[in-house]
Amino acid sequence: MNQVKRAIILAAGKGERMKPITLTTPKPLVAVNGIRMIDTVIQALHQNGINEIYVVVGYLKERFSELPSEYPGVQLVENPWFDSCNNISSLYVARGHLEDCIILDGDQIIYNPEILSPAFERSGYNAVWCEGQTSEWLMQVENGIVRSCSRTGGCRGWQLYSISRWTAEDGRQLQKHLEIEFQEKQNRQIYWDDVAMFCYPEKYRLGIRIMAETDIREIDTLEELVREDPSYSSWLESGKEVVCNEKG
């Protein structure tokens, strides 16, 4: 059995779909029902004994400056490419910490800390069974191994969530593949998840860690934020005004 020794939290993005809130507040620092999203992630990691935590920052990076003093063990890693590249750049800057690692997005809410438990059998993603239609990444699994993944979704499959664990061996391999794609091939507009799942699928035998849909909440848009925390409902109209002004 493998054991997670460290965590990488990706928190460099601009949160475009949650404007205007994210004009002044990075998305992971948006409070939902009184607690910032990234706090639920860090606190859940600590509850599982994972204290070596690297937070990758970029957009409004200065707003994260207090995190290391608030949470012992947290270190900030700057992504200078956050504004011009996809999130492959965020994992690239933290690639030296991938062995025995759990990788998470900072803009999700962890309701059940057990889904971040450190023990794991093989590298892979947390997943929720999806019976109906979804547009999220959907994996097909046979005998515990991911056999395929659809970027455009589908139905009857395992929906991929932004929590993944990597063994020491796979972490070293992922580092090498990140360097090939980002440095050598200049392939900088892909998701980091594309690297193992689509660029080098034959090099990995990924599994899944089953969880329930209620264990976690991924919030991508202002509308989803309002559904989770109605106190933001007044922001919907101002958000529409921002979109209209940008188009105008």
Side-chain angles (χ1 to χ4, degrees):
M1 188 66 69
N2 299 289
Q3 197 79 6
V4 170
K5 297 177 181 176
R6 58 192 56 84
I8 298 173
I9 300 176
L10 306 182
K14 298 174 71 174
E16 295 280 2
R17 289 186 290 170
M18 272 179 52
K19 286 182 177 179
I21 293 174
T22 50
L23 290 174
T24 56
T25 303
K27 189 178 169 188
L29 297 183
V30 172
V32 182
N33 296 313
I35 183 170
R36 300 176 304 187
M37 288 189 272
I38 200 169
D39 290 320
T40 72
V41 177
I42 297 174
Q43 290 170 10
L45 288 169
H46 280 187
Q47 287 180 52
N48 282 284
I50 304 168
N51 298 300
E52 181 184 338
I53 302 171
Y54 302 91
V55 180
V56 182
V57 298
Y59 176 66
L60 298 177
K61 62 183 179 181
E62 65 280 356
R63 296 294 302 273
F64 293 90
S65 61
E66 298 302 317
L67 273 185
S69 60
E70 293 172 351
Y71 294 105
V74 167
Q75 300 180 51
L76 303 183
V77 180
E78 184 179 348
N79 174 7
W81 298 285
F82 78 91
D83 200 23
S84 59
C85 302
N86 210 328
N87 76 355
I88 185 176
S89 61
S90 284
L91 197 60
Y92 174 79
V93 299
R95 67 193 183 280
H97 310 294
L98 288 171
E99 296 182 23
D100 297 313
C101 178
I102 186 169
I103 305 171
L104 318 90
D105 285 349
D107 55 357
Q108 53 192 343
I109 304 169
I110 305 298
Y111 285 122
N112 178 10
E114 291 182 5
I115 65 175
L116 305 189
S117 59
F120 67 109
E121 181 179 352
R122 63 172 63 250
S123 301
Y125 288 84
N126 278 35
V128 170
W129 175 254
C130 180
E131 186 71 22
Q133 191 73 28
T134 180
S135 59
E136 302 294 333
W137 286 27
L138 201 66
M139 299 177 289
Q140 299 302 320
V141 179
E142 296 178 8
N143 299 320
I145 304 296
V146 176
R147 300 301 182 187
S148 64
C149 181
S150 168
R151 287 189 186 89
T152 56
C155 62
R156 292 191 57 80
W158 292 97
Q159 181 179 331
L160 179 153
Y161 277 74
S162 299
I163 300 171
S164 62
R165 295 167 178 81
W166 301 86
T167 65
E169 180 181 357
D170 285 341
R172 289 190 293 270
Q173 187 167 238
L174 183 57
Q175 177 179 350
K176 178 182 70 175
H177 291 150
L178 282 165
E179 290 170 349
I180 292 172
E181 293 302 315
F182 193 81
Q183 289 177 196
E184 297 179 21
K185 295 185 178 180
Q186 299 282 300
N187 194 8
R188 300 184 171 188
Q189 298 306 323
I190 62 173
Y191 294 108
W192 78 261
D193 312 87
D194 284 314
V195 175
M197 193 69 75
F198 297 109
C199 298
Y200 304 92
E202 74 284 355
K203 299 295 185 181
Y204 300 87
R205 286 175 59 82
L206 301 179
I208 60 171
R209 199 282 191 191
I210 299 173
M211 63 180 186
E213 189 175 3
T214 53
D215 290 338
I216 187 173
R217 183 72 69 240
E218 292 184 343
I219 297 180
D220 294 319
T221 67
L222 195 54
E223 288 77 11
E224 290 173 356
L225 175 62
V226 169
R227 284 198 293 271
E228 200 69 19
D229 185 346
S231 69
Y232 286 101
S233 57
S234 62
W235 287 85
L236 278 176
E237 286 304 316
S238 55
K240 292 175 183 176
E241 290 176 8
V242 168
V243 171
C244 290
N245 289 336
E246 288 181 345
K247 289 181 178 178

